[in-house]
Amino acid sequence: MAGRHDDHHRELTLLAIALAACGARPPTAAPPSEPPLRPIPNPARDIVDTRLAFDVTARTGSATITFAASAQPGATLEIGDLAIDRVDRVFAAASGMLDLALPASREPVAVTIAFRYQPHEHFTGASAAGFTMLWPYHCGNLFPCHSRPADGTTFSAVALTGVPDGKVAVYPDRIAADAPAYQLGWSIDAYSELALGTTAAGTEVTIAYRPGELAAARAGGAHLVAVFDWLEKTLGRYRFGGKVGAVSVAWPAGAFGGMEHHPRWHVAAGALARELTHAHEAAHGWFGDGIRIAYWEDFVLSEGTASYLAGRALDVVAPAVGAAAWQSYAEELAAIPGDRPVWPQSRGAIDIVADGLFQDAPYIRGAFFLRAVALKVGAAALDRALATFYAARAGMAATMRELLATIATVTGYDPSACADTWLRAATTPRPGACL
Ligand SMILES: [Zn+2]
């Protein structure tokens, strides 16, 4: 809600009230369950489902947002720089926020919004190059949303029309389990599909690649079915559908790595041949997406755990690749200044980007913390702790502190002191610290 211009907001509120008043009954005649006549800010009212339809040529969209039951009336959505064309409720839109006249209710309440969106470069929305990137808090530039990662939503329908001839849009037509808003992504390009195989649980694993990228896709996907199978068998049932895999995306030069757009995660074209990147993004299906982070400061619960699990899975299914992964982590670790935040404690005040948390430290120090625990209690015991945590928290938001408590309960080893060394200390530890 920061940055809202209250004066402008109030003007639009009054305008919406005036428009709504034309057909409204007097407030005294309305029973208590009737919608309020004016928009009421209520950013705490959670979203439970999002249905989206886009025309990617016209850059128009329709969103049906279902809000949770709430004892308090009203609701608020982030709308970035969307142009709002229609809302089927009384609303007020100003400064990137949309407030709604919704009643308090014991049942979920749906609102439908028609809008236009703008192209966004620098990873802040839908790029003119055909891909989207909403992480960390840019979902409002593409559809009305809540960007806070704790507020998961299902996407019961996603549809794209207006895809140019000769191109393919790769995206999930639904995400049936709760996801952070930034999990949704699409990419539109001249895609072909490399079918890699099926896991024991029946999950189909593929890579969508562009012309000239088949060899890179084969290299990057060499052990991806085995990695995904290990994740399913070790951590528990995958929640985001029966067909998964990587999509090679035309990120701008210099952007490397991937993004956890499950079930079709994005991998920068330059990283397509890198098995570690695929394993990392796959692991986010359990940590980061499957279990959401409660606050941005719990970033290490997503990235440290995904980095650890990528190395751990590759250790099991392709030991030489796993060893190379840990070697590359060790090289990155040696280059991390000790003062970089890994696991700050701000109760939601930290800005993931501006405060420097989106750097290597949470990934690499987080991975080595969990590896230190694995070396202490046995990797299989830590696997069981991670599986226990996933069984308890999948579909919910969780904190790193809660993971530590589960590790202590399941393994009998309290990792708090080791976590202080790896995640809090102002000196970057060396591999093996706290053994
Ligand atoms: Zn990641």
Side-chain angles (χ1 to χ4, degrees):
M1 294 286 285
R4 177 176 210 150
H5 298 152
D6 284 335
D7 288 343
H8 188 203
H9 179 243
R10 191 171 307 119
E11 285 170 20
L12 285 183
T13 302
L14 292 170
L15 175 61
I17 292 167
L19 291 172
C22 302
R25 286 174 288 163
T28 50
S33 61
E34 284 293 290
L37 293 175
R38 60 184 180 83
I40 299 174
N42 184 358
R45 190 174 201 164
D46 280 349
I47 296 170
V48 296
D49 183 59
T50 303
R51 298 174 69 89
L52 296 171
F54 295 93
D55 181 323
V56 298
T57 298
R59 293 199 181 103
T60 57
S62 170
T64 298
I65 308 290
T66 303
F67 290 95
S70 171
Q72 304 299 324
T76 298
L77 291 163
E78 295 162 47
I79 54 168
D81 64 354
L82 299 179
I84 302 297
D85 288 332
R86 283 184 312 284
V87 183
D88 63 355
R89 305 274 176 159
V90 176
F91 72 100
S95 302
M97 308 298 276
L98 178 79
D99 294 328
L100 290 155
L102 285 190
S105 90
R106 293 168 196 262
E107 301 293 331
V109 181
V111 176
T112 297
I113 300 159
F115 57 88
R116 285 161 285 141
Y117 65 96
Q118 303 298 318
H120 273 267
E121 305 310 324
H122 313 295
F123 300 113
T124 55
S127 166
F131 64 86
T132 63
M133 172 65 90
L134 308 178
W135 186 93
Y137 33 57
H138 303 297
C139 56
N141 287 336
L142 191 60
F143 58 90
C145 65
H146 288 166
S147 65
R148 59 178 186 274
D151 190 2
T153 177
T154 52
F155 292 87
S156 59
V158 182
L160 265 58
T161 56
V163 177
D165 287 347
K167 295 202 170 178
V168 177
V170 181
Y171 64 96
D173 58 12
R174 63 200 288 259
I175 299 177
D178 274 355
Y182 66 72
Q183 186 176 323
L184 184 70
W186 73 60
S187 187
I188 300 166
D189 213 320
Y191 285 115
S192 302
E193 189 165 290
L194 172 64
L196 294 173
T198 302
T199 67
T203 306
E204 209 183 320
V205 184
T206 71
I207 296 181
Y209 65 95
R210 301 177 305 149
E213 294 179 339
L214 178 57
R218 285 207 170 107
H223 299 94
L224 189 53
V225 176
V227 164
F228 212 87
D229 186 64
W230 183 87
L231 290 165
E232 289 180 325
K233 285 175 175 163
T234 305
L235 299 177
R237 185 181 67 84
Y238 178 72
R239 296 167 56 82
F240 298 118
K243 180 173 178 178
V244 304
V247 184
S248 173
V249 178
W251 282 359
F256 205 69
M259 179 63 211
E260 56 265 35
H261 293 312
H262 275 262
R264 306 301 299 272
W265 60 86
H266 290 185
V267 169
L272 188 59
R274 192 168 186 250
E275 291 196 80
L276 183 57
T277 302
H278 291 271
H280 176 101
E281 300 310 332
H284 275 306
W286 286 261
F287 283 83
D289 289 348
I291 299 171
R292 301 183 305 281
I293 58 173
Y295 302 98
W296 289 115
E297 65 209 47
D298 293 302
F299 194 48
V300 66
L301 174 64
S302 173
E303 296 301 349
T305 310
S307 299
Y308 169 75
L309 283 168
R312 164 75 177 138
L314 288 166
D315 275 343
V316 175
V317 306
V321 183
W326 286 105
Q327 180 59 37
S328 73
Y329 288 170
E331 288 163 14
E332 290 177 67
L333 181 70
I336 295 171
D339 62 353
R340 295 296 190 272
V342 181
W343 184 31
Q345 322 273 305
S346 78
R347 296 296 290 181
I350 195 163
D351 185 300
I352 178 79
V353 177
D355 293 325
L357 191 54
F358 179 43
Q359 294 192 13
D360 282 349
Y363 293 71
I364 301 300
R365 286 179 64 164
F368 275 108
F369 160 64
L370 289 170
R371 193 174 201 224
V373 174
L375 291 170
K376 198 98 173 174
V377 304
L382 179 57
D383 293 343
R384 285 194 294 277
L386 294 171
T388 299
F389 196 65
Y390 180 72
R393 306 307 296 265
M396 303 176 199
T399 67
M400 190 65 185
R401 194 169 297 287
E402 290 164 346
L403 176 60
L404 300 186
T406 297
I407 290 171
T409 302
V410 173
T411 70
Y413 166 65
D414 181 349
S416 300
C418 189
D420 283 344
T421 299
W422 275 105
L423 309 180
R424 307 295 304 279
T427 309
T428 301
R430 303 166 69 122
C434 67
L435 285 177

